[in-house]
Amino acid sequence: MLVGMTVIRTARERARAEVRREILDAARRQLTAEGAEALSLRAVARELGMVSSALYRYFASRDELLTALIIEAYDELGERAERAAAATADQPAGLRWVAVARAVRAWAVDHPRRYALLYGTPVVGYAAPQSTVVPGTRVQIALAGIVLTAHRSGAIDAGRLGAGEPPVGSAVAADLARLRAALAQAAPDLLTAAGPSDVLLRATLLGWTQLFGLIGFELFGQLRGLVEDGEAFLVESAATMAARAGLQTGPLPPGR
Amino acid sequence: MLVGMTVIRTARERARAEVRREILDAARRQLTAEGAEALSLRAVARELGMVSSALYRYFASRDELLTALIIEAYDELGERAERAAAATADQPAGLRWVAVARAVRAWAVDHPRRYALLYGTPVVGYAAPQSTVVPGTRVQIALAGIVLTAHRSGAIDAGRLGAGEPPVGSAVAADLARLRAALAQAAPDLLTAAGPSDVLLRATLLGWTQLFGLIGFELFGQLRGLVEDGEAFLVESAATMAARAGLQTGPLPPGR
DNA sequence: TCTGGTGGGAGAGCAGTGCTCTTGAATGAG
DNA sequence: CTCATTCAAGAGCACTGCTCTCCCACCAGA
C-alpha cells in the first residue's frame, strides 16, 4: 500500500496530529511564561487534562519536545528576519541591515525566554540535533544575503570597508573560507566570480556577533541602568556596524 | 563586648567558616562539571557527608548559594581582566585591549559553565541581588579604563575613531551620559575636563558587546563548524574593534 | 459481523529535587 | 554547672522525568 509521506490518512492520524499540536501549544505557553528549565511535562499534561505518561506517546522525551520548540522558534525568528530583508529589497544595504537587526531584536524582546532558548546557555545534557542547524542559520543567512547582494551590485564602499583595521590573519582566513563555502551552498546566485573579500566577510561575522551580543546583553540584564532605549541603541549599533562593512545608508555616501 | 566585624572569634565560628568554604568548593565543582541547573543541594550535601537539611544552616536557599558562586566567578574573571590590563600598562592601548579580551576569553573557555552562569540565560526565578552588581562590572571597567587612559594621554587616533559612522543620536547620548557618570564613580582620576567624547564611549560599549557576543557565540556552539581557532578569531575581532575606537596598536600609527 | 492486533490513555512506581519542621545532641557563655 | 544557642539528622511534602503494566477503544482483515 503506497501512501504519500505527509498525507494524513485516518481519523486516528488526524487526532494524533491535533494532540501533538496542542501539546506544542501548551508547551510554548509554559516556555514563554516560565522559561525553558521550568517547562514541565507533567504541567503540560495537566493543562491538557491528560496524565503525564500519555505525553510520551507523542514525544519520546522532554528533550525531543524542547527540540520541536527550538526549531519552531528558529523558524519564526528566521522568517521575521527574511521578511524584513525582503521588504527592504529596494533600499540601500545599510538600511536593510538595520531593518533586519530591528526585526531580530523585536522578536527577541517579544519572546525573551524563547530567544534565550536559542542563543542563551545551552540546556545541560541537551545536544542540539542536526535538525536544528538549518533553521538556526536563517538569520545569519539573511544578513549575509544583504551584504552579498550589495557586493554583487557593486554597492560596497570599498574606501570605508575595513578602513584602518588589522589585516586578516591566516587562521581567520581559513574560517572565512568555510563561511564562503557555507554561503555558496545557501545562496549560490549571490556569489560573484570575484567573491566577497575576506575583509567583507569578517565584517559580516563581526556584525552577527555584535548584534546577538547586544541583544543578549539587553535581554539578560547586563545593560540594566545603563541603556534606557534598547531599540535606539541597537539601531545605532547596527548602523555603525553596517557602515564599517561599507554598506551604504543612503542613495549617495552622505557627508562627502 | 566589642568585636571586629570580620574577626573569627570562637572555634564554632571557625568551624562554621570552614564548612561554608567546603560547601562552596563542592558546589563550584558540581557547577563546573554539570552546569548551574544541575547544581543540587542534596548532591553537595552527599559529597560532604551530611544531610541536605544541614546545608540550610549555611545557605538560606539554593539561590543564595548560587549568588555566592556568581560573585566568586565575577571576581575571578574581573581579577584576570584587571591583571591583564595592569601587566600591559606600558603598551599601546590597542594591544592592552586585545590582552584583556584574550584574558576574558581564556577564563571563559576554561570555565564555560561558570561563564554561562554570569553571561548566559538568567536562572529563572532568580533575581540577581545588589551584591553582584559591582563585581559584575569589573571587566567592563577594566576595558573602559584602557580607553580612558589612552584618551587622557592623548593617544586616541581621532582620525580613525568613528570614521564614517553615524552620529550619536539623542537617546543614545542620554545612555552615554549615564555611562560617563558610572565611569566617573569607578575611575574618577581618568576623566579629563574634556571627557571622552560620545563617539568614543559608544565605541567602547560596542567593544564590550562585541567581545561578550563573540565569546557567547563560541561557547554556546553558534560558531560550530565555522570558526576553528576561536582564540585567533577573537584576537582579530578585538583588534578590529580597538582600531575602530582609535586605539593604537603600535608606537606609531601603522601603514601611514 | 466477529476477531485479533495496535494505538494510546491511566495509574503505580522509581529515583531524584528544594525546602520545612521536629527532634536530639553538642557547644559555649554566664 | 546550667541553660540557651547552634547545628546535624530524619521524616515528610510537593514536585520532577521517565518506565512499566494494564486495559480499553478502534480499525482492518477474514
Side-chain angles (χ1 to χ4, degrees), chain A residues 22-107:
Chain A
E22 282 178 9
I23 293 173
L24 273 178
D25 288 349
R28 192 183 327 107
R29 265 196 300 277
Q30 291 196 12
L31 166 64
T32 300
E34 307 281 348
E37 63 202 73
L39 170 63
S40 146
L41 282 188
R42 293 182 113 113
V44 169
R46 223 176 293 131
E47 184 175 331
L48 298 183
M50 44 170 94
V51 90
S52 73
S53 59
L55 278 193
Y56 286 83
R57 299 277 175 194
Y58 298 89
F59 293 93
S61 67
R62 183 176 178 273
D63 280 3
E64 201 177 294
L65 181 56
L66 267 184
T67 297
L69 291 172
I70 288 176
I71 293 178
E72 193 186 75
Y74 268 135
D75 276 328
E76 209 174 295
L77 173 61
E79 204 210 309
R80 296 281 192 100
E82 290 165 7
R83 279 223 310 266
T88 54
D90 55 344
Q91 295 183 21
L95 297 184
R96 298 186 71 198
W97 177 281
V98 171
V100 171
R102 289 182 65 179
V104 173
R105 177 186 173 276
W107 189 88

Side-chain angles (χ1 to χ4, degrees), chain B residues 201-239:
Chain B
L201 285 181
R202 189 178 66 179
T204 305
L205 249 168
L206 286 180
W208 292 352
T209 53
Q210 166 68 29
L211 172 61
F212 288 101
L214 180 53
I215 293 177
F217 253 44
E218 181 186 353
L219 243 58
F220 301 159
Q222 226 76 27
L223 294 177
R224 194 167 308 145
L226 209 57
V227 171
E228 196 102 306
D229 186 342
E231 159 102 19
F233 190 79
L234 178 122
V235 165
E236 242 178 75
S237 302

Side-chain angles (χ1 to χ4, degrees), chain A residues 175-248:
Chain A
D175 297 334
L176 298 179
R178 267 185 293 274
L179 172 58
R180 199 179 272 110
L183 290 177
Q185 198 167 10
D189 53 318
L190 293 181
L191 282 192
T192 64
S197 69
D198 277 359
V199 176
L200 183 56
L201 286 182
R202 188 177 68 178
T204 305
L205 249 168
L206 287 179
W208 292 351
T209 53
Q210 166 67 28
L211 172 60
F212 288 101
L214 179 53
I215 294 177
F217 253 44
E218 181 186 354
L219 243 57
F220 300 160
Q222 227 74 29
L223 293 177
R224 194 166 307 144
L226 208 57
V227 171
E228 195 103 306
D229 186 342
E231 159 103 18
F233 190 78
L234 177 123
V235 165
E236 242 179 75
S237 303
T240 301
M241 298 304 284
R244 290 170 174 180
L247 304 187
Q248 300 177 352

Side-chain angles (χ1 to χ4, degrees), chain B residues 15-250:
Chain B
R16 181 177 177 80
E18 181 144 340
V19 173
R20 211 186 128 94
R21 251 188 16 87
E22 282 177 9
I23 293 173
L24 272 178
D25 288 347
R28 191 183 327 107
R29 265 195 301 276
Q30 291 196 13
L31 166 63
T32 299
E34 308 282 347
E37 64 203 69
L39 171 63
S40 145
L41 282 187
R42 293 181 113 113
V44 169
R46 222 177 294 131
E47 185 175 330
L48 298 183
M50 45 170 94
V51 89
S52 73
S53 59
L55 280 193
Y56 287 84
R57 299 271 171 194
Y58 300 90
F59 293 93
S61 67
R62 184 176 177 273
D63 280 3
E64 201 177 295
L65 180 56
L66 267 184
T67 297
L69 291 171
I70 288 176
I71 293 178
E72 193 187 74
Y74 268 134
D75 275 328
E76 209 174 293
L77 173 61
E79 204 210 311
R80 296 280 192 101
E82 289 165 8
R83 279 222 310 265
T88 54
D90 54 345
Q91 295 183 22
L95 297 184
R96 298 186 71 197
W97 177 281
V98 171
V100 171
R102 288 182 65 179
V104 172
R105 177 185 174 275
W107 189 89
V109 169
D110 279 350
H111 309 92
R113 317 275 202 185
R114 299 173 73 194
Y115 181 88
L117 181 62
L118 304 183
Y119 296 102
T121 312
V123 180
V124 295
Y126 174 84
Q130 198 61 27
S131 50
T132 65
V133 171
V134 171
T137 55
R138 287 176 68 175
V139 172
Q140 287 95 317
I141 298 286
L143 286 168
I146 292 173
V147 174
L148 291 183
T149 302
H151 174 260
R152 185 194 164 93
S153 64
I156 298 286
D157 185 339
R160 195 174 277 175
L161 166 64
E165 294 173 7
V168 174
S170 59
V172 172
D175 297 333
L176 296 180
R178 267 185 294 274
L179 172 59
R180 199 180 272 109
L183 290 177
Q185 197 167 12
D189 52 319
L190 293 180
L191 282 192
T192 63
S197 69
D198 277 358
V199 176
L200 183 57
L201 285 181
R202 189 178 66 179
T204 305
L205 249 168
L206 286 180
W208 292 352
T209 53
Q210 166 68 29
L211 172 61
F212 288 101
L214 180 53
I215 293 177
F217 253 44
E218 181 186 353
L219 243 58
F220 301 159
Q222 226 76 27
L223 294 177
R224 194 167 308 145
L226 209 57
V227 171
E228 196 102 306
D229 186 342
E231 159 102 19
F233 190 79
L234 178 122
V235 165
E236 242 178 75
S237 302
T240 301
M241 298 304 283
R244 289 170 175 180
L247 304 188
Q248 300 177 352
T249 54

